[in-house]
Each structure stands twice: as C-alpha cells, then as structure tokens.
Amino acid sequence: MAIPKDARITLDPEEIPKRWYNLAADLQPLAPPLNPVTKEPAKPEDFAPIFCKAIIEQEASTERYIDIPEEVRDALINLNRPSPLQRAYRLEKYLKTPAKIYFKREDMSPLGSHKGNTALAQAYYNAEAGIHTLTTETGAGQWGTALAMVSNLFDIDTTVFMVKGSYNQKPFRKTLMNMYGAKVYASPSEYTEFGKKVLKEHPDTTGSLGIAISEACELATKDEGTCYALGSVLNHVMLHQTVIGEETMLQMQKAEVEPDYMVACVGGGSNFAGFTFPMMAEKLKGKSETEIIAVEPKAAPSLTEGEFRYDYGDTGGITPLLMMYTLGSEFVPKSIHAGGLRYHGMSPLVSAAYDEHLLSAVAYDQTETFEAGVMFAKTEGIVAAPESCHAIKGAIDKALECKANNEEKTIVFCLSGHGFLDLYGYEQYMDGTLPSSSIDNY
Ligand SMILES: *Cc1c(COP(=O)(O)O)cnc(C)c1O
C-alpha cells in the first residue's frame, strides 16, 4: 500500500510564512491595557522601561499583517520550521474512531516547544535596539530555554526566573538553560526586592509565573540596557506564534484537510493563538465553520472558571492591567507537572475571542491528561509535553464523541512540545502516585 498523502504533510523552507497575522485587526475595539498606577489607558512610554520600541509598537498594532524580518525567517530554519502536520493513524485505530486526527509538530523544534518562534523575534528586535540583557520568567522551563538559546544568535545575555516548583521538579531544564549561557534563579528569589518580600511572607511557596514575572520586570526597570521578554499572554507574542497556524492552513489546503475541530492547550494562550488565529480570521469572514477548542488544566481554569475583567499580569501588581479572563493575580495554582499552564490569567486577545464566542474551552485533571499522553506515546511513539497532553486529551475526547455518534469528523490539534524532560511526571503516572489536581493540599 502506498503511503497516504496526508500521512505527513511537509513544507519547504521557502514556505516559511512571510508575514504574521494579527487578530487584533479583526477584533476592534479591544479594551486597552491600563497603567497600574493611574488606571488610565497605558501610553507607549509606560512600557518603555521594560520593552524596546519595536515590541511596544507591535503590542498596540492593529495592522492585519506584519512582515517577518528576513533575519527572523532565516533563523526559523534553526528551529526546524516549517514543522510537519502529521496524521495519527495509530491513535485513531486504537480508539476505533471514524474520526481523522492530525497534529502539528511543534515538538520537533530543537528547543522542545513552540516557544522559540517568539523568542527569536523578540531577541532580534531587542538586539536591533541595542539591548544587552533580556530578563524573563519561566514555568516549566521551555520558555527560558528558548530565550536562552536564541539570545546567543543575537549576542544577548539572559537572566531567567524559574518558578520554584518547576526548578525543583525539572533540574535538567536548568542545566539546559545554563548550557545556553543563561543565569537561572529559583523564583521567588533573594535576588530581587519583590522576591525577598514574597519569601518573607510565604517561605515555603512553590512560586508562580505571576511572581516570577514581577521579579524579571523589576530587574528590567533597573537598567537601561536590560529589557524584559515575555513568553506568552501579550499581543506581540500571539502575533509571532501565528507562523504555526499559517503553516497549518497551507498544509491543510495542500492535503485537502477540512477540520471540524482545532484543539490546543492554553496556559497564557500563545500556542493556541498561533495555531488557531489564522483559522479565526476565516471564521470572522464567514468562510469557516471549524470549532476551535482551548484546553486548560483544572488547576488553573482561567477560561472556564475565571472572570473577564481587568487584572494585573503579575502577582506584584507592577505590570499594566490587562482585560482578560483571570482567576485573580493572587491566585497560586497547584504545582501540576504542566508548569507552562500554571497562569492566573489569559492572553487578552484569546480572552476577547472567547468573549466573542470564537472558541469554546474545557478543563481537565492532570491524571486524565497523562493517561492521554501515555496512550499517545504507545500509539504514535511520541512523548508529549505535559502541557500538550491537555490538547491530546481534548482531541481524544472529540474522537470518542465521533465514535459514539458514528461521525467521520476531522480533528487537528497542536502538539506544542515534547516531554523528554518531563519524565518525572510520567513516572508518577505509571507508578500510580500522580496526584489529582482536585486534592486540596497538593
Ligand atoms: C509554555 C508552553 C505551553 C503553554 O503556553 P501557551 O502560551 O499557552 O502556549 C504549552 N505547551 C508547551 C510545550 C509549552 O512550552
């Protein structure tokens, strides 16, 4: 039997997208970020202590398409772009579902996740602006790893605040960041004023992304040549990630794949946004009926249980207020293995799209997501990141629904990263010691 043409849909390097798609152009008017002190709409100069000019402009841009600089396109090749879109035949067979399941392979980046797509763009613009150091936070470590690596391409130093829970759970992530030349601190740390304050009040805290963001921003505001880089949440990050969705749209068109569902996990929303926003553009034009599904952890259910209101992006209350679905900036999620999904809020663009009913959301317990991840490893041979296991679980549930209704629908999900550095979580699942997210003291 010949290999079916949709088994693995690849693109040539010259098919790397030439421009990013900006959903903000099609969702106007958007509620602007507010200055944290005056509570008035933030001015571009409010962001100047932490971001360079090009990034501030992109953050507020309402242009529908923004050209990707040549240097960034060239470097995307180092991240193994374009990434394949692949069919999960064995998973389909195992589930005995009439549904077709495809997945977009962000796990094939040498950095292990989709995070490099925006890290590259941010490092490029900061280098152009003469910045010598970037500070950032990282949850599971994928973002810190991505920024640490790409900073080398543009001769920038990196300082990373890593959420303490992950720092202790994932020591090899730290090794990797150190190999790429980054300085890494467990957050909350003694290295910043805010970190010291949190440690004094909560000496045993496992930390959170919100706390780590406060620490990284504090450093950036203290030095002219230092800027801050965020791995998710903000509009410019969603923008940079749309290379994922643009490639996927082209691949689906080439292989005549018409998705009934597109599924991705959401932490701050960037792989979801990157993967689905180009399809949302089609939906907004009335040209697509694809149902778009965001999958979040029960431990940080900002879309399914949060409120749509202004809130701080960090825990210390030093970032601008963002209009988003939030559990409250004081919310400290349980220390689940999917560290990248432990965030109290949600990208304002994803939030606005949710408010416009352009997507639906579902939340799962971590035990169910690891079960899905092990099923995926057994059938497809790929070890997915614990975050990505949420998307796999979402896709499997849809495939089982198709089975129950005997419907031959098409499901396309985003495999946001691989899980080779997350084997501790898998080990706990295999041992039967993985705690449910619903246990209170976990
Ligand atoms: C960071 C990360 C996520 C969550 O972040 P988003 O901005 O919501 O995409 C999901 N999957 C992987 C592999 C990650 O590294």
Side-chain angles (χ1 to χ4, degrees), residues 390-430:
H390 288 71
I392 297 173
K393 171 67 180 161
I396 288 176
D397 270 14
K398 279 296 165 202
L400 292 176
E401 205 178 285
C402 291
K403 181 178 172 181
N405 302 332
N406 200 18
E407 287 172 319
E408 202 181 302
K409 290 189 171 174
T410 299
I411 302 160
V412 185
F413 74 88
C414 183
L415 188 70
S416 53
H418 73 60
F420 283 130
L421 292 173
D422 301 288
L423 293 181
Y424 179 55
Y426 279 102
E427 182 185 67
Q428 282 193 325
Y429 174 77
M430 300 307 288

Side-chain angles (χ1 to χ4, degrees), residues 7 23-24 39 47 61 65-66 76 102 144 186 203 208 214 236 260 279 308 332 336 372 406-407 410 436:
L23 181 68
K39 309 265 166 25
F47 294 99
S61 171
Y65 293 100
I66 295 178
L76 283 169
Y102 297 86
S208 70
S214 299
H236 65 274
D260 294 285
M279 183 58 92
F308 191 38
V332 178
I336 53 168
N406 200 18
E407 287 172 319
T410 299
S436 156

